[in-house]
Structure formats: C-alpha cells, structure tokens
Amino acid sequence: MRAAEMQGDSSEAESIDGAGSDETARCDRGFSWVEGEPGSLEEVIEAAFDYRGDVTTLLRDEDDLVGYLANRSISQQAPAESWIEVFPAAGGPRRRISLAVIRGLILSGKDVASGKSWESWLKKYTERRDSLARGEDVENIDLFPDERD
Amino acid sequence: MWAVASHVLKNKITRKKRYPLVLMLEPLFRCNLACAGCGKIQYPGHILKQELTPEQCFNATDECGAPIVSIPGGEPLMYSKIQEVVEGLVARKKYIYLCTNAVLLKEKIDLFKPTKYLTFSIHMDGLEEEHDFAVCREGVYKDALEGIKLALSRGFRVTTNTTLFEGARPVRVREFFDEMTALGVEGMMVSPGYSYSKAPDQESFLHRERTRGLFRRILAAPRKGWRFNQSPLFLEFLMGVEGRDYHCTPWGNPTYNLFGWQKPCYLLQEGYAETFDELMETTDWDQYGHDKNEKCRDCMVHSGYEATAVDQTFGSLRGFLATVRATLLGYRWSGDGAVENSAGAADRDEAVEPAAADRTEVVSCGAARTETKA
C-alpha cells in the first residue's frame, strides 16, 4: 500500500484476537513510501509514529533497519536537521537517523494495537454472561498480554 | 500536603509560570493485565522488554523537581529495579505513589519498608463485577483486595485509584467507596477516563457533560467516612460546581518513560523531549486545553486538572479559603442549581447512558498517539 492510498483503507488491518479490525481509518501493516513513489517520506513518518508495530527504514549506505519508530522531528525550515528515532528490534541503543540518509520506510511489523477492540471484549463478555444464565458450559475469556518475542 | 504547599509557594514567590507537581515516571510499558481500555501495553515485544535504569529514573526526578513521584507503567511491580528506585526516591524525600494492580503485591511486598514517603495506589475500577470486567480478567478484584489488606496490615500507606467510564452506575460506585472505606484505605482517587486514539475502548469513555452528571450522582451526599486523596476543588470541578470551570495544566504532571519526556502531557503523545527543560521550553502549551484542541475537548482527567485546582488553592486567598472550607466541611455538592437533586439520584441505580450523537470520533492515522486511561 502506497502513501497516497492510505486514507480509510483498513483492509489489511490485522486481527490479533480474530474479532475483526477496528472501524477506523488507520495506517496498516504494509503502508510504505520509497523514493520515486507518490507521497512523501514525511507522510509515512507521521504514519509510523502513530503505528504500534515495527517499521523498516531503508537506508542509503547501510543495511535496512528494523525497529520501533518512537520519535521524530520534521523541520520544514531546516530539512537537513530533520530526524527519526528508532529502537532497533535486534537490540542496542536507540538510533537517531537523519532524513537525508533515508530512502524509504515501511510499516513492516505487526500492529499490536489492531483488533483489540472494546466491542470485541464486550461481545465476548455478554455472550458468556448469557450462556451462564442459560446454565450452559462456558469457556474462560480472560485476556492476557501477548507473548513477547 | 506541606511538601506540595511549600513547592507551590516557592514557585509562586519566584513567579515561575509553569512548574510540575507530580512526575509520572513510567519505568516500563510491560503489564501482567491486558485491559481493553489500556493502550500502554501496545508495543512490540522488544519495547515491552525494555526498562529505564535507576539512574534514568533519578535523573528525571532531579531534573523535574516535583515533590511527588507517581510510578505507573506498565505494572511497576514487574520492574526489575523497583526496590532500588523506591529506596532512591525515599532518600530524596519524594512522596511516591506506586500505582499497581496489586496482583503481584503479595509476592513483592517484602521488597519495601513502610514509610510516610511510600503509598501503594491500588488500581480498583469498582466492585468485583465491575473491576474484573474493566480489567478483562476474573479474580483480579480478589487479588487486589488481598493486596490492600496485606499492605495495610504491614503498616503501609494505601490508597485506591479508580477510573470511571461510560455506563458506570452511581449506586455501585458509592457502594465501592463504602467498601474501600471499610477496609481502611487512607484515601481514594477517582477520575473520568480519557478517550485516545490507540485505546481499543473508544465507546466507553465519558464526555464532558455526562462526566459532570455522573460525578454529581456519585459524589453528592457523601457518606460519612469517605476520604478522597485529591483536591476537594478538583472533585467540585468534576461535579460542575459553579466557579470550578478549570483549564488544564498539562505541565502539572509531566511524564517520563523509555522514549523521553512526553509532549505535551500524560495522555497525549505528540513527541518526546530529551530533557525536562526542553519539554517545558519547546512545547507550545497554548495549543492545548478543552477549548483549544479537539483532542482535549472531553478531557477532565486528574492528571490535567488537579494541578489547576492546587494552583487555585495557593494562587489566591479565595482559593485558599475554599480549600480550607472544603477540607474542614467537605466538598461542595449542593447550594447551586448545578447539583440540586443529585442526592436523590445518587442512590438510584442509573447508569450514565451514552448519547449516540456525542460519541468520540476515532482519530485516523497521523493524529496524535495518545496514552492509557489515567
């Protein structure tokens, strides 16, 4: 999915709990921008800042960097001073990377915020409560944190 | 109280316009619960594994200078250095609110020593049914209750913190306050939740007018013995009492975590500063407030408004007298049109009904990333 196509398309949103995606226009896994494509690096950076999954930063003179984009500073007045901060998924300290050395960015990791809707929880809870009232056997629906990598 | 008062007065005397009251120190995002209303745990695994070092915690505390340090998270009892950080903060004479769901309290309590500087602030969103529903797991209320009893029996200071959402039933909340009071907690904290983009629970957050209505029904005709560990003027603000139409003080509770100093507040997440000074100097504070910013429109959360109430207390003789009056006689819940008839409604089992036309819009990507319910 290219930067210019992002608005309102949630077709690729992941469903962690199988309950369907949130009803929101969001930037999904796979959203990207690479030099020469429509859109802009700044646009995909803002999307990445709002994204709760890892991104892949395509760099000019070194290997691509996979990690969590935690912060950014975009200056229209001084583009050379613009940067992003990434916590590498492979470990090590956070890296501050100048936009000048970035040739593309991809929302590549699983969006861990996707699919965990209140509606999903409420639906499960209500169904279980109704089943209990009917005297039926019910399964445990308790929620637990995702297992970490 | 004295620590806060002297801190505020010192800043007033030096004519400092913006100063913090409570440092929100988040040493980790990891949690042992997966509440549907919480966005804090929504990070990739490698981020959830990371923690602040004690040195980072102490540097942030020293930089900020707030007399109170609140340690939320994540779940702070899962933080590997919690003992060292608490001891270091006590040595600095900081008043610590360790905000925990108490699931691990029995296992970890021996790490701590009772002191006036340390309070366990136990997350309790209501009675058993409501709390277990809110945290999406059965049995957590019972664990928390055991934790409260254990901590009290060991001589620790214990308070509760409660976030209320759409559908909260005043009569049940009042029963919950009765139960906590009977347990002997030192005080209770209560706040409306805040809607934010990455919280999965967008429908159940309260909006401004309904927030006032809910709190009027809950807090009117307070029962004898209820003790709140917050400014009485803030409680009056929640009830919509005349003269309490506050503006937010976003710098009052600055937040420091793995990513840095969070801009602009505990709830909104629009970027990070490397230092506290940078946070204070580079944030455009005038952009924020319920009448200035769509993201702030419905917010009445204590992390933004309690500092305003405290500032009013020490900012004028009228504010000071109002606080003295409320402290001695209890907060104002009647005496003007805004709260009349509340007492009668308080004990009826009425949920605050959602208004279909007034739902929070779910913001799209590119909008502010925002944080957990307070």
Side-chain angles (χ1 to χ4, degrees):
Chain A
M1 189 172 13
R2 302 286 184 259
E5 300 168 351
M6 67 185 238
Q7 286 298 326
D9 187 345
S10 60
S11 59
E12 293 181 21
E14 290 193 27
S15 175
I16 305 298
D17 59 4
S21 61
D22 297 339
E23 293 176 8
T24 170
R26 52 192 309 147
C27 298
D28 301 318
R29 187 176 191 175
F31 177 57
S32 67
W33 178 84
V34 178
E35 264 180 350
E37 293 178 350
S40 69
L41 179 58
E42 288 77 7
E43 186 179 15
V44 75
I45 285 173
E46 282 307 303
F49 181 69
D50 190 42
Y51 188 67
R52 292 293 180 106
D54 282 337
V55 303
T56 300
T57 307
L58 310 179
L59 300 168
R60 294 193 193 287
D61 299 320
E62 57 179 305
D63 292 343
D64 300 343
L65 175 68
V66 178
Y68 187 77
L69 191 154
N71 200 8
R72 79 287 185 236
S73 175
I74 309 291
S75 171
Q76 303 297 342
Q77 289 76 34
E81 294 173 14
S82 298
W83 47 262
I84 61 171
E85 275 187 351
V86 174
F87 283 72
R94 82 177 80 182
R95 285 187 59 185
R96 182 171 287 193
I97 303 164
S98 166
L99 263 57
V101 303
I102 300 174
R103 59 182 180 83
L105 195 72
I106 306 163
L107 276 54
S108 53
K110 183 170 78 174
D111 180 356
V112 296
S114 177
K116 297 174 179 174
S117 69
W118 175 255
E119 290 71 24
S120 167
W121 164 247
L122 186 62
K123 183 168 177 283
K124 284 183 192 172
Y125 182 87
T126 306
E127 286 173 356
R128 185 175 187 273
R129 188 186 57 195
D130 293 346
S131 296
L132 277 170
R134 291 192 296 269
E136 298 169 0
D137 291 334
V138 292
E139 291 182 358
N140 187 306
I141 59 167
D142 291 347
L143 298 185
F144 291 87
D146 293 337
E147 282 188 27
R148 287 177 288 283
D149 304 328
Chain B
M1 178 68 177
W2 173 247
V4 173
S6 60
H7 177 74
V8 174
L9 289 171
K10 188 172 77 181
N11 282 287
K12 290 278 181 196
I13 289 166
T14 56
R15 296 183 183 276
K16 199 165 185 177
K17 190 177 174 189
R18 299 187 179 101
Y19 53 90
L21 284 177
V22 180
L23 166 62
M24 308 297 285
L25 181 62
E26 300 176 328
L28 78 175
F29 295 128
R30 197 162 67 247
C31 190
N32 47 1
L33 295 179
C35 312
C38 179
K40 282 289 181 192
I41 60 172
Q42 294 169 350
Y43 291 102
H46 66 94
I47 296 294
L48 295 177
K49 284 177 184 171
Q50 296 198 35
E51 300 181 342
L52 292 177
T53 64
E55 290 70 29
Q56 286 176 301
C57 295
F58 300 143
N59 288 342
T61 303
D62 295 340
E63 259 192 284
C64 169
I68 299 171
V69 179
S70 179
I71 310 180
E75 167 52 50
L77 292 182
M78 296 177 81
Y79 174 42
S80 63
K81 308 289 186 193
I82 189 64
Q83 181 182 15
E84 186 179 343
V85 166
V86 166
E87 287 175 355
L89 295 177
V90 168
R92 284 168 169 75
K93 297 186 177 359
K94 298 294 180 183
Y95 287 86
I96 306 158
Y97 284 86
L98 200 157
C99 304
T100 174
N101 57 43
V103 170
L104 292 172
L105 193 51
K106 189 176 175 184
E107 182 186 328
K108 304 276 187 175
I109 198 162
D110 290 332
L111 296 176
F112 308 101
K113 295 182 187 123
T115 159
K116 69 174 182 177
Y117 292 109
L118 173 63
T119 300
F120 288 112
S121 177
I122 314 286
H123 170 206
M124 295 289 263
D125 280 348
L127 292 167
E128 183 168 6
E129 183 183 349
E130 286 83 358
H131 185 65
D132 286 354
F133 173 61
V135 301
C136 307
R137 193 184 304 171
E138 288 186 347
V140 176
Y141 179 85
K142 285 196 173 82
D143 286 345
L145 213 57
E146 290 308 307
I148 290 172
K149 289 175 183 171
L150 176 64
L152 287 170
S153 73
R154 296 280 191 94
F156 286 99
R157 302 180 72 174
V158 180
T159 60
T160 57
N161 70 77
T162 304
T163 308
L164 298 178
F165 296 92
E166 200 73 72
R169 297 184 170 209
V171 69
R172 293 283 291 173
V173 179
R174 289 170 66 84
E175 286 170 16
F176 165 73
F177 288 161
D178 290 341
E179 180 139 346
M180 295 302 105
T181 300
L183 278 177
V185 300
E186 184 176 313
M188 301 177 286
M189 287 188 275
V190 62
S191 177
Y194 169 74
S195 67
Y196 49 99
S197 62
K198 280 295 182 185
D201 177 1
Q202 285 292 321
E203 296 296 329
S204 65
F205 292 100
L206 287 159
H207 303 281
R208 219 168 176 82
E209 271 314 307
R210 292 205 301 284
T211 298
R212 294 190 184 106
L214 172 65
F215 278 90
R216 281 197 289 271
R217 274 175 273 176
I218 292 169
L219 297 173
R223 297 214 221 282
K224 194 176 178 184
W226 284 2
R227 279 188 298 182
F228 292 96
N229 188 41
Q230 36 195 171
S231 162
L233 303 190
F234 172 70
L235 297 178
E236 293 181 356
F237 159 73
L238 289 179
M239 289 186 286
V241 168
E242 192 179 350
R244 302 281 176 266
D245 187 19
Y246 291 148
H247 289 271
C248 178
T249 303
W251 55 85
N253 288 30
T255 301
Y256 183 76
N257 60 34
L258 287 167
F259 301 147
W261 291 95
Q262 187 167 301
K263 291 182 173 186
C265 67
Y266 180 61
L267 297 162
L268 291 177
Q269 195 179 8
E270 300 197 336
Y272 293 87
E274 277 190 76
T275 66
F276 180 72
D277 285 345
E278 183 189 329
L279 169 77
M280 298 301 281
E281 288 163 15
T282 64
T283 304
D284 184 2
W285 300 108
D286 292 337
Q287 277 190 30
Y288 303 100
H290 74 272
D291 54 350
K292 296 175 186 167
N293 193 312
E294 181 69 12
K295 294 169 212 154
C296 308
R297 186 187 62 187
D298 295 315
C299 181
M300 296 177 77
V301 177
H302 61 72
S303 60
Y305 288 91
E306 187 134 26
T308 312
V310 171
D311 187 72
Q312 190 189 28
T313 294
F314 297 103
S316 67
L317 182 62
R318 189 175 177 184
F320 183 73
L321 292 174
T323 305
V324 170
R325 185 260 311 147
T327 303
L328 296 175
L329 305 174
Y331 54 77
R332 196 152 48 109
W333 56 272
S334 64
D336 61 54
V339 294
E340 66 185 2
N341 299 323
S342 291
D347 289 320
R348 291 199 296 273
D349 191 7
E350 295 170 342
V352 176
E353 296 300 331
D358 192 25
R359 293 280 171 87
T360 306
E361 289 178 17
V362 178
V363 296
S364 59
C365 64
R369 219 168 26 179
T370 52
E371 285 299 345
T372 70
K373 61 185 181 183

